[in-house]
Amino acid sequence: MKDLHKGTALRSALSKWFPRLDVYVLGWILTFGSLLITTSLWAAARFPLVASSDLWPWRALSQLTILWSITLMAIAMLAVVRANALEPVFGGLDRAVRFHRVLGPSAILLLIAHVVFLALAEFQDGGSLGDLFIPFWSPSTRSIDILAFYALLLLGRLAYDRYLPVR
């Protein structure tokens, strides 16, 4: 009985300091399990290149952060999909929405980290930073990727805008 009381006390203490983390443990297990699987699959695919100086330090970190970002975005969408089979995983819709509001900014931060690591890799290789930040800068620019990055930043900003009415 004491162990049950300790768990309740710990949960209420954590809820006091981290109110947004109030979600069922199964949602966090799903999240960390997905991140672990993503990292393992990346490592298995890159195993021959692990010792390559071309991959470390910035390219590997860039690849990992974008994979983690996409994984968190997918789980955040699953959390609020309103499927009866998934609601128990996140503890109901209210907790799923709170979980979504934690994972969303985390995914955006990882997306920004991805671009920073790409910039560091480009700088290290002596390339142009304009190819990373300015769409249609040169023929080698990945313009669609740059525009998608700016669109996701804008969506993330609009999601947390206080003055935007929520209906």
Side-chain angles (χ1 to χ4, degrees), residues 7 39 44 92 96 102 105 107 139 143:
T39 306
V102 169
S143 299

Side-chain angles (χ1 to χ4, degrees), residues 28-150:
W28 288 110
I29 291 172
L30 173 69
T31 302
F32 290 119
S34 298
L35 290 173
L36 182 65
I37 289 169
T38 301
T39 306
S40 301
L41 289 173
W42 174 85
R46 297 288 180 215
F47 186 71
L49 299 174
V50 168
S52 171
S53 64
D54 216 17
L55 189 64
W56 294 101
W58 308 122
R59 294 246 183 255
L61 290 174
S62 173
Q63 291 173 3
L64 279 172
T65 53
I66 194 63
L67 288 172
W68 292 339
S69 176
I70 291 169
T71 302
L72 289 182
M73 286 181 200
I75 293 172
M77 284 190 285
L78 280 177
V80 293
V81 78
R82 290 189 176 198
N84 291 335
L86 290 175
E87 278 192 19
V89 173
F90 300 103
L93 187 59
D94 290 341
R95 287 184 176 171
V97 168
R98 285 195 297 264
F99 190 62
H100 175 87
R101 291 189 60 87
V102 169
L103 289 186
S106 303
I108 296 292
L109 287 175
L110 284 170
L111 180 66
I112 293 169
H114 163 72
V115 173
V116 168
F117 291 139
L118 272 180
L120 290 171
E122 193 70 25
F123 183 73
Q124 183 180 14
D125 293 343
S128 170
L129 292 180
D131 285 342
L132 287 175
F133 294 108
I134 303 171
F136 313 108
W137 176 263
S138 71
S140 65
T141 302
R142 297 180 63 163
S143 299
I144 300 299
D145 296 349
I146 297 168
L147 293 172
F149 170 70
Y150 290 138

Side-chain angles (χ1 to χ4, degrees), residues 14-15 17-25 28 98-99 102:
L14 285 176
S15 294
W17 292 104
F18 303 106
R20 292 180 179 238
L21 298 182
D22 184 28
V23 72
Y24 277 0
V25 173
W28 288 110
R98 285 195 297 264
F99 190 62
V102 169

